[in-house]
Amino acid sequence: MAVQAAEIPQNTTSAVDLGPAVALSCRECGERFPLGPVFACESCFGPLEVAYELPSGDVEELRRTIEAGPKNIWRYAPLLPVPADVASHPNTNPGLTQLVKADRLAKELGVTGGLYVKDDSGNPTHSFKDRVVAIAVEAARAFGFTTLSCSSTGNLAGAVGAAAARAGFRSCVFIPHDLEQGKVVMAAVYGGDLVGIEGTYDDVNRFCSELIGDPLGEGWGFVNVNLRPYYGEGSKTLAYEICEQLGWEIPDQIVIPVASGSQLTKIDKGLKELIRLGLVADKPYKIFGAQAEGCSPVSTAYKAGHDVVRPQKPKTIAKSLAIGNPADGPYVLDIARRTGGAVEDVDDEQVVDAIKLLARTEGIFAETAGGVTVGVTRKLIENGQLDPALTTVVLNTGDGLKTLDAVAPTTGPTATIRPDLDAFRAAGLAG
Amino acid sequence: MAVQAAEIPQNTTSAVDLGPAVALSCRECGERFPLGPVFACESCFGPLEVAYELPSGDVEELRRTIEAGPKNIWRYAPLLPVPADVASHPNTNPGLTQLVKADRLAKELGVTGGLYVKDDSGNPTHSFKDRVVAIAVEAARAFGFTTLSCSSTGNLAGAVGAAAARAGFRSCVFIPHDLEQGKVVMAAVYGGDLVGIEGTYDDVNRFCSELIGDPLGEGWGFVNVNLRPYYGEGSKTLAYEICEQLGWEIPDQIVIPVASGSQLTKIDKGLKELIRLGLVADKPYKIFGAQAEGCSPVSTAYKAGHDVVRPQKPKTIAKSLAIGNPADGPYVLDIARRTGGAVEDVDDEQVVDAIKLLARTEGIFAETAGGVTVGVTRKLIENGQLDPALTTVVLNTGDGLKTLDAVAPTTGPTATIRPDLDAFRAAGLAG
């Protein structure tokens, strides 16, 4: 059962300090609600998002403040739903990950206008989820929650477990009971409660929705449910960092993975904010969505010219993108079409090839989602949809160490030899 | 066969530009040699290290230059054996990892003077090895090498593979043939040649030494053999970053893992340089070495009051520290004794406990080496050798994702339940 705006508990409607965030606003009908742990509009059931009163002073001063700020996402605190003193709170402090000038990859792909990889494997638990969870932690604090929770099959569980530990929250994370042992260890090692649910990921999600509506879940902040409006804003920091790292310029083209689609919509939101504030010059940019063929509801709709996204049953190695019924799918279609981008997909073999291409050209070992964005970039260039003469940023949102199985069957030693020079000479590897 | 200073090839004795590095100097007899790919003194066979002409101008200007520099180790280029324009070269750009104020861990350990964890899992391939390899890459470039190589059982292979890919070198890495598949994948994914050697790690090392002395190895830079003097300097950046992140102050106590011992000696060297330059105030500091009981040649010598380190046959889960005959062991003893520190060890069970302690208090999932430093910190406090009222920095040099096996047997779900509220209530996890 979804908690709607009408049900905001009294103790959370008092003036919470979340910095420039002043209200929640319905993305469909525009109705406004006080800041609180709610996520659906009471009038039209549309998704709520954070509305701001952004800084209106001297833009150069704002730029200097940002540049002199912490070397993590809190440098953008004036643009995020967090209190001004957020950097002094215990949190995982993700962000300011490397924007890698990928000249060798560019050469292989034929990109001449400048190619960059935004490598979010440098975050504390090695995925972009640390960004969104860090914001959710601050909202949970403001609303007086004591337990952090989520449903997850991987990256999110680790990000929530780590952030809860650092910030002093209890955590209780729900996973399908039959996950691989490695993922279970990553989710459990931070010492919170980890509950295996006998059922599929969809069963886990349904159970979490029930729990939110029940007294058993009182005091619980589910980062991707009742804290979702705040959580989602963490993805804006990818837009801020990319532009700052390019010398306060918007790139011409950005390739973004699409799971629920939230990340792509928030990056677009972030770019528009930077333009409105005057931190970057207004210019056209194209946003491209990337999916795996085995879970491609948005690219299928894009290519068919539909506005409606028809759910799919996922079957792909890109498990972190395997959301068959993406909540923000229609918004992704809007943005790709409005900006002149596209949504494309690649099959699992192309994902593996792209992981290896990125590793051997740039020394970045991406998880499968990174294989999807690099593979889609190559396909978009071949299709003529992405212009290789323009500046292009490709996102890698996670770490190859978490999806070793994707490349393991085709990745091994060149040779195995006895420890002597004759054997080495015979192997033909000298020179 | 070791390459000694007399054998420097002619084409490398010409003035190479490695910034403030002006010569190699023997740590035993002090004799100086031109910069080149050599590592042992021609007179006394002692280890060579880099000698500098460090900046002598206005210290405040140097500090401002560093603070305005790249957000990675290249901000310290004026203090490293790299050309001044190093930041514009393709490289992995490691460093400026988080110094985490570990208040919750401090509480558990009873530290009142301020406890920090320097978390090097934030580096590109998630271990401190990225720092040393990044410097070796610049030396390899300066000496005209075209292949980067090393012997490795894990972290180093990944760091070399990634850096070679980024920087456009060929790589050829040697590993024991019977490594776990996960480690083989991590070493092979960057697309360089990976050679399994039928034998132990010692056999791999002996083979590499033979290869360096043979024409087959011409043009090869072995980062931890013929490039070792440069490579080792990368560890100085840990000292620089810790002090800068503490507001240009030296901490009272530092706990450092000891494998070969190189890292500990270079951190001490880095601190002394900062004092000499005036970037930090001169003050006493204590350096502590941390080993695993199953490979504790240095702590055994320390406790016995010996100056000589007797080799051991390693048997510990802390494989990245499992060097039974540590080259820099005697220097570690000197430094621990001179600074008033100590060298201590913990057993494998204590290592696992410490990994979990760090994870549940600070949300940092360390590899076994991090369990060693945290476990040793706890033991040193209990022993009364480390003063909990003083500012203390503990190093975590690697990532728990690479040593999942250490915690897997004892890390799992709290409960497994059906997806309904009654089952959840019965599990007793609400509230």
Side-chain angles (χ1 to χ4, degrees), chain B residues 270-297:
Chain B
L271 294 175
K272 287 194 283 191
E273 284 173 357
L274 293 181
I275 293 170
R276 197 161 64 245
L277 288 163
L279 281 166
V280 298
D282 194 358
K283 62 165 268 194
Y285 58 85
K286 297 181 181 185
I287 289 190
F288 297 85
Q291 298 209 294
E293 188 182 286
C295 183
S296 53

Short mmCIF file of all heavy atoms in Angstrom, two decimals, chain B residues 270-297:
data_model
loop_
_atom_site.label_atom_id
_atom_site.label_comp_id
_atom_site.label_asym_id
_atom_site.label_seq_id
_atom_site.Cartn_x
_atom_site.Cartn_y
_atom_site.Cartn_z
N GLY B 270 58.16 10.13 3.66
CA GLY B 270 57.27 11.22 3.27
C GLY B 270 57.04 12.21 4.40
O GLY B 270 57.05 13.42 4.20
N LEU B 271 56.86 11.70 5.61
CA LEU B 271 56.65 12.59 6.76
C LEU B 271 57.88 13.45 7.00
O LEU B 271 57.78 14.66 7.25
CB LEU B 271 56.34 11.76 8.02
CG LEU B 271 55.03 10.97 8.02
CD1 LEU B 271 54.92 10.10 9.27
CD2 LEU B 271 53.82 11.90 7.90
N LYS B 272 59.05 12.84 6.89
CA LYS B 272 60.29 13.61 7.12
C LYS B 272 60.46 14.69 6.05
O LYS B 272 60.91 15.80 6.34
CB LYS B 272 61.49 12.66 7.16
CG LYS B 272 61.50 11.84 8.46
CD LYS B 272 62.81 11.14 8.73
CE LYS B 272 62.99 9.90 7.90
NZ LYS B 272 64.12 9.06 8.32
N GLU B 273 60.07 14.39 4.82
CA GLU B 273 60.14 15.40 3.76
C GLU B 273 59.22 16.59 4.06
O GLU B 273 59.59 17.75 3.87
CB GLU B 273 59.76 14.79 2.40
CG GLU B 273 60.85 13.92 1.80
CD GLU B 273 60.40 13.18 0.54
OE1 GLU B 273 59.21 13.31 0.17
OE2 GLU B 273 61.21 12.49 -0.06
N LEU B 274 58.00 16.28 4.51
CA LEU B 274 57.05 17.36 4.81
C LEU B 274 57.60 18.27 5.91
O LEU B 274 57.44 19.50 5.86
CB LEU B 274 55.69 16.79 5.23
CG LEU B 274 54.89 16.04 4.17
CD1 LEU B 274 53.57 15.55 4.76
CD2 LEU B 274 54.63 16.90 2.94
N ILE B 275 58.23 17.67 6.91
CA ILE B 275 58.83 18.46 7.99
C ILE B 275 59.97 19.33 7.43
O ILE B 275 60.03 20.53 7.69
CB ILE B 275 59.37 17.54 9.11
CG1 ILE B 275 58.20 16.84 9.83
CG2 ILE B 275 60.22 18.33 10.10
CD1 ILE B 275 58.64 15.74 10.79
N ARG B 276 60.83 18.70 6.62
CA ARG B 276 61.98 19.43 6.09
C ARG B 276 61.54 20.62 5.24
O ARG B 276 62.13 21.68 5.27
CB ARG B 276 62.87 18.48 5.28
CG ARG B 276 64.26 19.01 5.04
CD ARG B 276 65.26 17.91 4.66
NE ARG B 276 64.96 17.26 3.41
CZ ARG B 276 64.63 15.97 3.29
NH1 ARG B 276 64.55 15.19 4.35
NH2 ARG B 276 64.38 15.45 2.11
N LEU B 277 60.45 20.39 4.48
CA LEU B 277 59.96 21.46 3.61
C LEU B 277 59.21 22.53 4.39
O LEU B 277 58.94 23.61 3.86
CB LEU B 277 59.02 20.87 2.55
CG LEU B 277 59.69 20.06 1.44
CD1 LEU B 277 58.67 19.20 0.72
CD2 LEU B 277 60.41 20.99 0.46
N GLY B 278 58.84 22.24 5.62
CA GLY B 278 58.06 23.20 6.40
C GLY B 278 56.56 23.14 6.12
O GLY B 278 55.81 24.02 6.54
N LEU B 279 56.13 22.11 5.40
CA LEU B 279 54.69 21.99 5.11
C LEU B 279 53.91 21.55 6.36
O LEU B 279 52.71 21.78 6.45
CB LEU B 279 54.45 21.00 3.96
CG LEU B 279 54.72 21.56 2.56
CD1 LEU B 279 54.80 20.44 1.53
CD2 LEU B 279 53.64 22.56 2.15
N VAL B 280 54.58 20.89 7.27
CA VAL B 280 53.97 20.55 8.56
C VAL B 280 54.97 20.95 9.65
O VAL B 280 56.17 21.03 9.39
CB VAL B 280 53.67 19.03 8.70
CG1 VAL B 280 52.66 18.59 7.65
CG2 VAL B 280 54.95 18.21 8.60
N ALA B 281 54.44 21.17 10.86
CA ALA B 281 55.33 21.44 12.00
C ALA B 281 56.03 20.16 12.40
O ALA B 281 55.46 19.08 12.33
CB ALA B 281 54.50 21.99 13.16
N ASP B 282 57.27 20.29 12.81
CA ASP B 282 58.01 19.14 13.32
C ASP B 282 57.41 18.73 14.66
O ASP B 282 57.12 19.57 15.49
CB ASP B 282 59.49 19.53 13.50
CG ASP B 282 60.37 18.29 13.69
OD1 ASP B 282 59.83 17.16 13.70
OD2 ASP B 282 61.59 18.47 13.82
N LYS B 283 57.18 17.44 14.81
CA LYS B 283 56.65 16.93 16.08
C LYS B 283 56.91 15.43 16.13
O LYS B 283 57.13 14.79 15.09
CB LYS B 283 55.15 17.21 16.20
CG LYS B 283 54.30 16.55 15.12
CD LYS B 283 52.83 16.56 15.47
CE LYS B 283 52.44 15.30 16.18
NZ LYS B 283 51.00 15.08 16.27
N PRO B 284 56.92 14.85 17.30
CA PRO B 284 57.13 13.41 17.39
C PRO B 284 55.93 12.65 16.83
O PRO B 284 54.79 13.12 16.96
CB PRO B 284 57.26 13.14 18.90
CG PRO B 284 57.15 14.46 19.58
CD PRO B 284 56.66 15.47 18.61
N TYR B 285 56.19 11.55 16.18
CA TYR B 285 55.10 10.65 15.76
C TYR B 285 55.59 9.22 15.93
O TYR B 285 56.79 8.95 15.87
CB TYR B 285 54.70 10.92 14.30
CG TYR B 285 55.82 10.79 13.29
CD1 TYR B 285 56.15 9.55 12.75
CD2 TYR B 285 56.57 11.89 12.88
CE1 TYR B 285 57.18 9.42 11.83
CE2 TYR B 285 57.61 11.77 11.98
CZ TYR B 285 57.91 10.54 11.45
OH TYR B 285 58.94 10.41 10.56
N LYS B 286 54.62 8.32 16.16
CA LYS B 286 54.96 6.91 16.36
C LYS B 286 54.42 6.08 15.21
O LYS B 286 53.26 6.23 14.83
CB LYS B 286 54.36 6.40 17.67
CG LYS B 286 54.90 7.09 18.90
CD LYS B 286 54.29 6.54 20.16
CE LYS B 286 54.86 7.29 21.37
NZ LYS B 286 54.41 6.71 22.64
N ILE B 287 55.27 5.22 14.66
CA ILE B 287 54.85 4.36 13.57
C ILE B 287 54.78 2.91 14.03
O ILE B 287 55.74 2.39 14.60
CB ILE B 287 55.79 4.54 12.36
CG1 ILE B 287 55.54 5.92 11.73
CG2 ILE B 287 55.58 3.42 11.34
CD1 ILE B 287 56.20 6.16 10.41
N PHE B 288 53.60 2.32 13.79
CA PHE B 288 53.35 0.94 14.18
C PHE B 288 53.22 0.06 12.94
O PHE B 288 52.52 0.43 11.99
CB PHE B 288 52.06 0.85 15.00
CG PHE B 288 52.12 1.62 16.29
CD1 PHE B 288 51.82 2.98 16.32
CD2 PHE B 288 52.49 0.99 17.48
CE1 PHE B 288 51.87 3.69 17.52
CE2 PHE B 288 52.55 1.69 18.67
CZ PHE B 288 52.24 3.05 18.69
N GLY B 289 53.86 -1.09 12.96
CA GLY B 289 53.73 -2.06 11.88
C GLY B 289 52.75 -3.16 12.27
O GLY B 289 52.71 -3.56 13.43
N ALA B 290 51.96 -3.62 11.29
CA ALA B 290 50.95 -4.64 11.57
C ALA B 290 51.15 -5.85 10.66
O ALA B 290 51.23 -5.70 9.44
CB ALA B 290 49.55 -4.05 11.39
N GLN B 291 51.22 -7.02 11.26
CA GLN B 291 51.36 -8.26 10.48
C GLN B 291 50.32 -9.28 10.91
O GLN B 291 49.68 -9.14 11.96
CB GLN B 291 52.77 -8.84 10.67
CG GLN B 291 53.88 -7.93 10.18
CD GLN B 291 55.09 -8.72 9.72
OE1 GLN B 291 55.74 -9.37 10.52
NE2 GLN B 291 55.39 -8.66 8.42
N ALA B 292 50.15 -10.30 10.07
CA ALA B 292 49.32 -11.44 10.45
C ALA B 292 50.22 -12.47 11.15
O ALA B 292 51.36 -12.67 10.73
CB ALA B 292 48.68 -12.06 9.21
N GLU B 293 49.69 -13.08 12.20
CA GLU B 293 50.49 -14.04 12.98
C GLU B 293 51.09 -15.11 12.08
O GLU B 293 52.25 -15.52 12.27
CB GLU B 293 49.60 -14.69 14.05
CG GLU B 293 50.33 -15.55 15.03
CD GLU B 293 49.36 -16.20 16.03
OE1 GLU B 293 48.87 -15.48 16.92
OE2 GLU B 293 49.08 -17.41 15.90
N GLY B 294 50.33 -15.53 11.04
CA GLY B 294 50.79 -16.59 10.16
C GLY B 294 51.89 -16.16 9.20
O GLY B 294 52.41 -16.98 8.43
N CYS B 295 52.24 -14.89 9.23
CA CYS B 295 53.39 -14.39 8.46
C CYS B 295 53.89 -13.15 9.18
O CYS B 295 53.59 -12.03 8.79
CB CYS B 295 53.00 -14.08 7.02
SG CYS B 295 54.42 -13.54 6.04
N SER B 296 54.65 -13.40 10.26
CA SER B 296 55.01 -12.31 11.16
C SER B 296 56.51 -12.23 11.41
O SER B 296 56.96 -12.08 12.54
CB SER B 296 54.28 -12.49 12.49
OG SER B 296 54.52 -13.80 13.01
N PRO B 297 57.31 -12.29 10.35
CA PRO B 297 58.77 -12.26 10.58
C PRO B 297 59.23 -10.96 11.24
O PRO B 297 60.16 -11.00 12.06
CB PRO B 297 59.34 -12.41 9.16
CG PRO B 297 58.24 -12.01 8.23
CD PRO B 297 56.98 -12.42 8.92
#
